[in-house]
């Protein structure tokens, strides 16, 4: 895994990997303005989101679900350029950086109000916190799909939260 430095521009970039003194041959990767990915509890990118309930303490799980109307904090990467400009390796501090591209969300297939999208306090640049209000009228359950959109790019499918 690697974090793309904020200074990277253009359509492609050359990448090498160095491990235990050995460096790979350079290879080309495509560069996009955003590539949102929601962090999940088991780090697979699928299933239960790594999310915090409205109380700011409780991890969202089937045993501790959020409620309709509550705000849940999701954590993602791939927000693209920010204002103020992101600084590689810097912990988020006031003023918290926010994505230059618009951030939207759906929960259970319905549009959810994004109350905040920006740097996660005290966490490294590139980790975005998105506070989303759970919309009324959704089908509740232990595996309600959640999707983020940054600019024109959607996060991965198969990420869920528990809602009662």
């Amino acid at each position: 895994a690697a974090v793309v430095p904020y200074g990277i521009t253009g359509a492609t970039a050359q990448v090498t990997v160095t491990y235990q003194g050995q460096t790979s041959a350079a290879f080309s990767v495509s560069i996009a303005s955003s590539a949102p990915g929601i962090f999940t509890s088991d780090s697979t990118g699928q299933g239960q989101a790594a999310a915090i309930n409205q109380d700011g303490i409780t991890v969202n799980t089937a045993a501790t679900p959020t409620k309709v109307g509550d705000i849940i904090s999701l954590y993602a990467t791939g927000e693209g350029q920010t204002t103020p400009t992101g600084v590689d390796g810097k912990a988020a501090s006031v003023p918290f950086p926010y994505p230059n591209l618009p951030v939207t969300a759906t929960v259970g297939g319905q549009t959810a109000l994004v109350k905040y999208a920006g740097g996660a306090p005290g966490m490294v640049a590139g980790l975005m916190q998105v506070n989303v209000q759970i919309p009324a009228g959704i089908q509740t359950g232990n595996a309600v799909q959640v999707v983020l959109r940054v600019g024109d790019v959607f996060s991965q499918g198969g990420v869920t939260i528990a809602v009662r």
Side-chain angles (χ1 to χ4, degrees), residues 65-121:
T66 191
K67 299 182 305 232
V68 169
D70 278 0
I71 296 169
I72 192 164
S73 296
L74 303 168
Y75 298 91
T77 190
E79 77 273 23
Q81 294 295 336
T82 62
T83 298
T85 302
V87 176
D88 299 331
K90 180 183 178 200
S93 60
V94 176
F96 294 114
Y98 59 90
N100 292 344
L101 296 170
V103 177
T104 60
T106 60
V107 176
Q110 293 190 32
T111 300
L113 180 61
V114 173
K115 303 288 268 181
Y116 172 80

Side-chain angles (χ1 to χ4, degrees), residues 129-154:
Q129 178 176 326
V130 183
N131 297 344
V132 175
Q133 188 168 26
I134 307 302
I138 65 166
Q139 180 68 44
T140 60
N142 292 335
V144 178
Q145 185 167 345
V146 61
V147 176
L148 297 177
R149 181 177 180 180
V150 179
D152 293 328
V153 182
F154 292 93

